[in-house]
Amino acid sequence: MKNVMTTMNKGKLADFLKSLASDHEMIVPVIENGNLLFGDLGSNGLATDFKGRPPVSPKEYMFPQKERIFTFDATDKVNVSVQAHLNTKKRILWGIRPCDLYGIKTLDTIYLGGYVDTYYQARRSNTLLMGLNCNQPCDTGFCVACQTGPFASEAFDIMFTDLGDKYLVNIGSEAGKVIADKYPSLFAAATDDDLKKARDAEEKCKQGFKPVVDAKAAKQKLPETWDDALWAEESATCILCGGCNFVCPTCHCFNIEDIAEDGKVSTRVRYWDTCQLGGFTQMAAENTRLAQFERLRQRIFHKYVYTPDKYGGVPGCTGCGRCIEVCPAEIDITHVLGRVTSK
Protein backbone atom coordinates (compact mmCIF):
# COMPACT_ATOMS: atom_id res chain seq x y z
CA MET A 1 0.00 0.00 0.00
CA LYS A 2 1.04 3.62 -0.45
CA ASN A 3 2.26 5.11 2.80
CA VAL A 4 -0.22 7.47 4.51
CA MET A 5 1.11 10.51 6.37
CA THR A 6 -0.80 11.72 9.42
CA THR A 7 0.08 13.37 12.73
CA MET A 8 -0.61 12.68 16.40
CA ASN A 9 -0.40 15.10 19.31
CA LYS A 10 2.38 13.87 21.60
CA GLY A 11 0.08 14.03 24.58
CA LYS A 12 -2.09 11.34 23.04
CA LEU A 13 0.62 8.75 22.50
CA ALA A 14 0.45 7.12 25.94
CA ASP A 15 -3.33 6.71 25.74
CA PHE A 16 -3.00 5.27 22.23
CA LEU A 17 -0.50 2.64 23.38
CA LYS A 18 -2.49 1.82 26.50
CA SER A 19 -5.59 1.29 24.36
CA LEU A 20 -3.68 -1.14 22.17
CA ALA A 21 -2.62 -3.03 25.29
CA SER A 22 -6.19 -4.25 25.75
CA ASP A 23 -5.64 -6.94 23.12
CA HIS A 24 -1.87 -6.91 22.54
CA GLU A 25 1.24 -7.36 24.59
CA MET A 26 2.87 -3.91 24.35
CA ILE A 27 6.68 -3.83 24.27
CA VAL A 28 8.17 -0.33 24.45
CA PRO A 29 11.38 1.43 25.53
CA VAL A 30 11.41 1.75 29.33
CA ILE A 31 13.86 2.95 31.95
CA GLU A 32 14.74 0.25 34.49
CA ASN A 33 17.33 0.96 37.20
CA GLY A 34 18.61 3.81 35.08
CA ASN A 35 19.02 1.62 31.99
CA LEU A 36 17.12 2.02 28.73
CA LEU A 37 15.73 -1.27 27.49
CA PHE A 38 12.69 -2.82 25.85
CA GLY A 39 10.04 -4.04 28.26
CA ASP A 40 6.36 -4.29 29.02
CA LEU A 41 4.43 -1.01 28.81
CA GLY A 42 2.98 -1.51 32.25
CA SER A 43 6.22 -2.26 34.10
CA ASN A 44 8.23 0.96 34.31
CA GLY A 45 6.57 3.56 32.19
CA LEU A 46 7.11 4.63 28.64
CA ALA A 47 10.37 6.27 27.52
CA THR A 48 9.84 8.45 24.45
CA ASP A 49 12.53 11.14 24.60
CA PHE A 50 15.79 9.23 24.44
CA LYS A 51 18.96 9.51 22.39
CA GLY A 52 20.17 6.55 20.36
CA ARG A 53 18.76 3.10 20.96
CA PRO A 54 18.64 0.60 23.84
CA PRO A 55 21.91 -1.35 24.26
CA VAL A 56 20.03 -4.56 23.48
CA SER A 57 17.96 -4.81 20.30
CA PRO A 58 14.34 -6.08 20.25
CA LYS A 59 15.51 -9.19 18.33
CA GLU A 60 14.68 -11.22 21.44
CA TYR A 61 10.94 -10.76 20.82
CA MET A 62 11.16 -12.33 17.36
CA PHE A 63 14.01 -14.77 17.91
CA PRO A 64 14.34 -15.57 21.64
CA GLN A 65 17.73 -16.13 23.20
CA LYS A 66 16.44 -19.54 24.35
CA GLU A 67 13.20 -21.26 23.43
CA ARG A 68 11.48 -24.61 23.60
CA ILE A 69 10.57 -25.52 20.06
CA PHE A 70 8.86 -28.88 20.68
CA THR A 71 8.46 -31.73 23.15
CA PHE A 72 8.41 -35.38 22.16
CA ASP A 73 6.98 -38.17 24.30
CA ALA A 74 8.24 -41.72 23.71
CA THR A 75 6.15 -43.37 26.40
CA ASP A 76 4.50 -45.28 23.57
CA LYS A 77 7.57 -46.62 21.77
CA VAL A 78 5.57 -47.21 18.58
CA ASN A 79 3.75 -43.88 18.33
CA VAL A 80 5.98 -41.06 19.57
CA SER A 81 3.92 -37.90 20.11
CA VAL A 82 5.32 -34.49 19.26
CA GLN A 83 3.98 -31.19 20.59
CA ALA A 84 5.22 -28.00 18.93
CA HIS A 85 5.50 -24.87 21.09
CA LEU A 86 4.43 -22.06 18.77
CA ASN A 87 4.14 -18.60 20.31
CA THR A 88 1.12 -16.89 18.73
CA LYS A 89 0.73 -14.11 21.29
CA LYS A 90 -0.41 -10.85 19.67
CA ARG A 91 2.26 -8.26 20.27
CA ILE A 92 3.13 -4.69 19.28
CA LEU A 93 6.62 -3.26 19.52
CA TRP A 94 6.72 0.53 19.70
CA GLY A 95 9.78 2.79 19.63
CA ILE A 96 12.02 0.62 17.45
CA ARG A 97 14.82 2.59 15.86
CA PRO A 98 15.43 2.29 12.09
CA CYS A 99 18.62 0.23 12.56
CA ASP A 100 16.62 -2.39 14.46
CA LEU A 101 13.77 -2.36 11.94
CA TYR A 102 16.30 -3.21 9.24
CA GLY A 103 17.67 -5.90 11.54
CA ILE A 104 14.21 -7.49 11.72
CA LYS A 105 13.92 -7.15 7.94
CA THR A 106 17.11 -9.19 7.64
CA LEU A 107 15.75 -11.84 10.02
CA ASP A 108 12.51 -11.95 7.99
CA THR A 109 14.47 -12.60 4.82
CA ILE A 110 16.52 -15.36 6.41
CA TYR A 111 13.77 -17.12 8.37
CA LEU A 112 10.78 -16.54 6.07
CA GLY A 113 12.34 -16.48 2.60
CA GLY A 114 12.86 -19.91 1.04
CA TYR A 115 12.77 -22.32 3.97
CA VAL A 116 10.22 -21.04 6.49
CA ASP A 117 11.05 -21.33 10.19
CA THR A 118 7.61 -22.01 11.67
CA TYR A 119 8.61 -20.86 15.16
CA TYR A 120 9.86 -17.51 13.91
CA GLN A 121 6.88 -17.22 11.58
CA ALA A 122 4.40 -17.73 14.47
CA ARG A 123 5.87 -14.78 16.36
CA ARG A 124 6.43 -12.54 13.38
CA SER A 125 2.96 -12.94 11.90
CA ASN A 126 1.43 -11.87 15.22
CA THR A 127 3.71 -8.88 15.75
CA LEU A 128 3.24 -5.29 14.59
CA LEU A 129 6.24 -2.98 14.35
CA MET A 130 5.90 0.69 15.28
CA GLY A 131 9.16 2.57 14.86
CA LEU A 132 10.56 5.88 16.06
CA ASN A 133 12.94 7.76 13.77
CA CYS A 134 16.15 9.19 15.24
CA ASN A 135 16.44 12.95 15.62
CA GLN A 136 19.92 12.74 17.16
CA PRO A 137 22.95 10.70 16.10
CA CYS A 138 24.09 8.06 18.58
CA ASP A 139 27.69 7.85 19.76
CA THR A 140 28.84 4.65 18.07
CA GLY A 141 26.24 4.26 15.32
CA PHE A 142 27.09 4.41 11.63
CA CYS A 143 23.66 3.66 10.15
CA VAL A 144 24.07 6.41 7.55
CA ALA A 145 27.00 4.50 6.03
CA CYS A 146 24.89 1.32 5.97
CA GLN A 147 21.83 3.16 4.58
CA THR A 148 19.67 1.91 7.45
CA GLY A 149 19.03 5.20 9.21
CA PRO A 150 18.53 7.58 10.85
CA PHE A 151 15.07 7.50 9.25
CA ALA A 152 13.32 4.36 7.99
CA SER A 153 11.52 4.19 4.67
CA GLU A 154 10.29 0.58 4.95
CA ALA A 155 10.07 -2.45 7.26
CA PHE A 156 7.46 -0.93 9.61
CA ASP A 157 3.71 -0.94 10.11
CA ILE A 158 3.64 2.55 11.60
CA MET A 159 6.56 4.98 11.93
CA PHE A 160 6.71 7.96 14.27
CA THR A 161 8.86 11.07 13.86
CA ASP A 162 9.19 13.55 16.71
CA LEU A 163 8.29 17.06 15.48
CA GLY A 164 8.30 18.72 18.88
CA ASP A 165 4.72 18.98 20.10
CA LYS A 166 3.46 16.21 17.83
CA TYR A 167 4.54 13.18 15.85
CA LEU A 168 4.50 12.74 12.12
CA VAL A 169 2.91 9.30 11.75
CA ASN A 170 3.74 7.28 8.64
CA ILE A 171 1.34 4.37 8.16
CA GLY A 172 3.22 1.81 6.11
CA SER A 173 1.10 -1.36 5.97
CA GLU A 174 -2.48 -2.57 5.86
CA ALA A 175 -2.08 -3.89 9.40
CA GLY A 176 -0.93 -0.45 10.52
CA LYS A 177 -3.89 1.17 8.77
CA VAL A 178 -6.31 -1.15 10.55
CA ILE A 179 -4.86 -0.06 13.89
CA ALA A 180 -4.95 3.65 13.00
CA ASP A 181 -8.51 3.42 11.65
CA LYS A 182 -9.70 2.20 15.07
CA TYR A 183 -8.68 5.55 16.62
CA PRO A 184 -9.56 8.24 14.06
CA SER A 185 -9.84 10.98 16.70
CA LEU A 186 -6.14 10.59 17.57
CA PHE A 187 -4.86 11.34 14.09
CA ALA A 188 -4.91 14.46 11.90
CA ALA A 189 -3.81 14.95 8.32
CA ALA A 190 -0.16 15.90 7.89
CA THR A 191 0.57 19.30 6.39
CA ASP A 192 3.34 20.29 3.99
CA ASP A 193 4.99 22.05 6.93
CA ASP A 194 4.98 18.80 8.93
CA LEU A 195 6.64 16.93 6.07
CA LYS A 196 9.25 19.66 5.68
CA LYS A 197 10.05 19.58 9.39
CA ALA A 198 10.59 15.83 9.17
CA ARG A 199 12.88 16.15 6.14
CA ASP A 200 14.87 18.86 7.92
CA ALA A 201 15.15 16.71 11.06
CA GLU A 202 16.42 13.75 9.02
CA GLU A 203 19.03 15.83 7.22
CA LYS A 204 20.20 17.46 10.45
CA CYS A 205 20.57 14.09 12.11
CA LYS A 206 22.49 12.67 9.13
CA GLN A 207 24.92 15.57 9.24
CA GLY A 208 25.54 14.85 12.93
CA PHE A 209 26.98 11.39 12.29
CA LYS A 210 30.74 11.13 11.95
CA PRO A 211 31.85 9.67 8.58
CA VAL A 212 33.61 6.71 10.22
CA VAL A 213 33.39 4.13 7.46
CA ASP A 214 32.58 3.66 3.78
CA ALA A 215 30.54 0.46 3.90
CA LYS A 216 30.27 0.04 0.12
CA ALA A 217 34.00 0.43 -0.37
CA ALA A 218 34.67 -2.01 2.46
CA LYS A 219 32.46 -4.67 0.85
CA GLN A 220 34.35 -4.35 -2.42
CA LYS A 221 37.78 -4.49 -0.77
CA LEU A 222 37.12 -7.31 1.68
CA PRO A 223 37.89 -10.24 -0.70
CA GLU A 224 41.34 -8.78 -1.30
CA THR A 225 42.15 -8.90 2.42
CA TRP A 226 41.46 -12.61 3.02
CA ASP A 227 45.11 -13.41 3.85
CA ASP A 228 46.01 -10.02 5.29
CA ALA A 229 47.71 -9.72 8.67
CA LEU A 230 45.05 -7.28 9.88
CA TRP A 231 42.75 -10.12 10.97
CA ALA A 232 45.32 -11.53 13.39
CA GLU A 233 46.21 -8.05 14.62
CA GLU A 234 42.60 -6.98 15.20
CA SER A 235 41.59 -10.25 16.91
CA ALA A 236 44.64 -10.39 19.21
CA THR A 237 42.75 -8.87 22.18
CA CYS A 238 39.49 -10.81 21.73
CA ILE A 239 38.47 -12.67 24.91
CA LEU A 240 35.92 -14.90 23.14
CA CYS A 241 32.87 -13.58 25.02
CA GLY A 242 30.64 -13.49 21.92
CA GLY A 243 29.04 -10.25 23.05
CA CYS A 244 29.39 -8.70 19.59
CA ASN A 245 27.13 -11.38 18.15
CA PHE A 246 24.63 -11.48 21.00
CA VAL A 247 23.81 -7.76 20.82
CA CYS A 248 23.71 -7.70 17.01
CA PRO A 249 20.20 -7.20 15.55
CA THR A 250 20.98 -9.39 12.52
CA CYS A 251 22.99 -12.28 14.02
CA HIS A 252 20.80 -15.35 13.76
CA CYS A 253 22.93 -18.45 14.37
CA PHE A 254 21.70 -20.97 16.94
CA ASN A 255 22.42 -24.35 18.48
CA ILE A 256 19.92 -27.08 19.33
CA GLU A 257 19.85 -29.56 22.21
CA ASP A 258 17.41 -32.24 23.30
CA ILE A 259 16.84 -32.03 27.07
CA ALA A 260 15.59 -35.29 28.62
CA GLU A 261 12.99 -34.78 31.34
CA ASP A 262 12.26 -38.29 32.62
CA GLY A 263 13.80 -40.70 30.15
CA LYS A 264 10.71 -40.80 27.98
CA VAL A 265 9.82 -37.15 27.52
CA SER A 266 12.35 -34.75 26.04
CA THR A 267 12.25 -31.14 24.92
CA ARG A 268 14.13 -29.73 21.97
CA VAL A 269 15.58 -26.34 22.83
CA ARG A 270 17.38 -23.88 20.63
CA TYR A 271 19.47 -20.98 21.78
CA TRP A 272 21.70 -18.31 20.30
CA ASP A 273 25.17 -19.32 19.24
CA THR A 274 28.11 -17.23 18.09
CA CYS A 275 30.74 -17.68 15.42
CA GLN A 276 33.29 -16.14 17.80
CA LEU A 277 33.45 -19.24 20.04
CA GLY A 278 35.85 -22.08 19.40
CA GLY A 279 33.14 -24.74 19.33
CA PHE A 280 31.05 -23.02 16.69
CA THR A 281 30.68 -25.22 13.57
CA GLN A 282 32.69 -27.92 15.38
CA MET A 283 32.53 -31.07 13.32
CA ALA A 284 33.43 -34.64 14.18
CA ALA A 285 36.99 -34.37 12.91
CA GLU A 286 37.91 -30.74 13.47
CA ASN A 287 36.89 -27.12 13.63
CA THR A 288 37.23 -25.41 10.28
CA ARG A 289 38.13 -22.12 11.97
CA LEU A 290 40.71 -22.98 14.61
CA ALA A 291 42.22 -19.53 15.13
CA GLN A 292 40.42 -16.46 16.45
CA PHE A 293 41.51 -14.35 13.48
CA GLU A 294 39.55 -16.74 11.27
CA ARG A 295 36.46 -16.25 13.41
CA LEU A 296 36.72 -12.45 13.39
CA ARG A 297 37.18 -12.57 9.61
CA GLN A 298 34.11 -14.81 9.35
CA ARG A 299 32.00 -12.31 11.33
CA ILE A 300 32.97 -9.38 9.12
CA PHE A 301 32.66 -11.27 5.84
CA HIS A 302 29.30 -12.71 6.90
CA LYS A 303 27.93 -9.23 7.51
CA TYR A 304 29.36 -7.38 4.53
CA VAL A 305 29.72 -10.07 1.86
CA TYR A 306 27.90 -13.36 2.49
CA THR A 307 24.52 -12.09 3.79
CA PRO A 308 23.92 -9.30 1.25
CA ASP A 309 25.14 -11.50 -1.60
CA LYS A 310 22.94 -14.45 -0.63
CA TYR A 311 19.79 -12.51 0.27
CA GLY A 312 19.51 -9.89 -2.43
CA GLY A 313 21.29 -7.06 -0.69
CA VAL A 314 19.64 -7.13 2.74
CA PRO A 315 22.00 -5.62 5.32
CA GLY A 316 24.12 -8.02 7.34
CA CYS A 317 25.15 -5.03 9.47
CA THR A 318 22.75 -2.20 10.29
CA GLY A 319 25.40 0.13 11.70
CA CYS A 320 23.78 0.22 15.14
CA GLY A 321 27.22 0.25 16.79
CA ARG A 322 26.26 -2.06 19.67
CA CYS A 323 29.17 -4.44 19.01
CA ILE A 324 31.55 -1.51 19.53
CA GLU A 325 29.93 -0.55 22.84
CA VAL A 326 29.81 -4.05 24.28
CA CYS A 327 33.31 -5.25 23.37
CA PRO A 328 35.55 -5.36 26.48
CA ALA A 329 38.58 -5.66 24.20
CA GLU A 330 37.65 -2.46 22.34
CA ILE A 331 37.50 -4.17 18.95
CA ASP A 332 35.79 -1.62 16.73
CA ILE A 333 34.18 -2.84 13.51
CA THR A 334 34.49 0.61 11.93
CA HIS A 335 38.23 0.60 12.63
CA VAL A 336 38.54 -2.86 11.05
CA LEU A 337 36.59 -1.76 7.98
CA GLY A 338 38.68 1.41 7.77
CA ARG A 339 41.83 -0.73 7.60
CA VAL A 340 40.19 -2.85 4.91
CA THR A 341 39.36 0.16 2.73
CA SER A 342 42.86 1.59 3.14
CA LYS A 343 44.47 -1.50 1.60
Side-chain angles (χ1 to χ4, degrees):
M1 63 166 280
K2 183 179 179 180
N3 288 21
V4 177
M5 294 294 190
T6 66
T7 61
M8 173 186 288
N9 187 297
K10 289 179 79 170
K12 297 179 179 178
L13 176 66
D15 289 341
F16 172 59
L17 298 181
K18 288 177 182 176
S19 297
L20 296 176
S22 63
D23 49 5
H24 293 82
E25 180 187 36
M26 293 299 301
I27 304 299
V28 300
V30 299
I31 302 294
E32 184 174 303
N33 298 324
N35 299 310
L36 178 66
L37 46 81
F38 283 99
D40 188 87
L41 175 63
S43 61
N44 289 283
L46 174 66
T48 59
D49 187 17
F50 59 91
K51 178 184 175 181
R53 70 286 174 280
V56 178
S57 83
K59 176 175 71 174
E60 164 79 17
Y61 295 99
M62 236 61 67
F63 173 46
Q65 185 172 2
K66 181 180 180 180
E67 67 174 326
R68 295 189 310 158
I69 53 178
F70 60 81
T71 300
F72 49 99
D73 186 339
T75 303
D76 183 338
K77 296 182 178 178
V78 176
N79 299 304
V80 176
S81 65
V82 178
Q83 179 187 2
H85 301 297
L86 298 175
N87 188 334
T88 58
K89 180 185 298 182
K90 290 191 175 300
R91 175 182 284 158
I92 293 176
L93 273 65
W94 184 89
I96 310 172
R97 293 302 199 188
C99 55
D100 287 335
L101 287 171
Y102 281 97
I104 293 172
K105 178 185 176 182
T106 297
L107 297 180
D108 286 352
T109 303
I110 291 167
Y111 283 127
L112 302 179
Y115 175 79
V116 175
D117 184 298
T118 55
Y119 305 97
Y120 181 89
Q121 183 187 46
R123 287 189 177 81
R124 186 67 184 88
S125 62
N126 286 286
T127 301
L128 292 179
L129 304 178
M130 297 187 182
L132 178 63
N133 283 320
C134 294
N135 282 16
Q136 302 179 69
C138 52
D139 295 333
T140 59
F142 52 103
C143 59
V144 175
C146 296
Q147 298 182 317
T148 58
F151 276 40
S153 59
E154 57 176 340
F156 56 82
D157 295 295
I158 299 178
M159 198 72 201
F160 290 72
T161 302
D162 190 340
L163 298 182
D165 59 348
K166 60 184 173 182
Y167 292 106
L168 179 67
V169 182
N170 184 347
I171 300 170
S173 74
E174 290 292 344
K177 185 175 184 302
V178 169
I179 290 289
D181 286 348
K182 289 176 65 176
Y183 306 95
S185 63
L186 298 182
F187 297 91
T191 66
D192 289 342
D193 186 54
D194 295 328
L195 300 179
K196 182 180 183 305
K197 286 182 178 178
R199 289 194 298 270
D200 291 346
E202 179 180 9
E203 189 58 31
K204 181 180 179 182
C205 188
K206 282 182 176 178
Q207 296 302 320
F209 279 91
K210 301 174 184 175
V212 292
V213 64
D214 184 337
K216 286 186 178 179
K219 182 181 186 304
Q220 293 175 345
K221 293 281 288 188
L222 271 167
E224 302 174 20
T225 65
W226 183 261
D227 294 319
D228 198 282
L230 76 87
W231 302 111
E233 293 164 1
E234 292 294 335
S235 64
T237 57
C238 178
I239 63 169
L240 315 185
C241 68
C244 50
N245 288 135
F246 293 139
V247 298
C248 175
T250 67
C251 278
H252 52 274
C253 291
F254 59 83
N255 200 358
I256 285 179
E257 286 189 46
D258 290 341
I259 309 297
E261 297 179 10
D262 61 4
K264 296 178 181 177
V265 179
S266 297
T267 298
R268 182 157 295 181
V269 177
R270 74 172 172 184
Y271 50 87
W272 295 353
D273 203 349
T274 160
C275 58
Q276 297 308 290
L277 300 183
F280 185 77
T281 64
Q282 175 76 47
M283 292 181 281
E286 62 178 338
N287 191 323
T288 57
R289 290 187 284 270
L290 287 173
Q292 190 56 26
F293 83 85
E294 296 171 302
R295 295 190 278 269
L296 172 63
R297 184 178 62 192
Q298 162 67 15
R299 180 165 77 89
I300 304 299
F301 269 69
H302 198 188
K303 297 200 169 300
Y304 282 88
V305 180
Y306 306 150
T307 295
D309 284 355
K310 183 175 181 179
Y311 296 106
V314 299
C317 172
T318 68
C320 70
R322 290 187 175 94
C323 59
I324 301 170
E325 289 179 355
V326 78
C327 182
E330 300 183 348
I331 297 174
D332 183 333
I333 190 172
T334 62
H335 176 72
V336 175
L337 293 174
R339 291 191 65 183
V340 168
T341 56
S342 69
K343 295 293 179 180

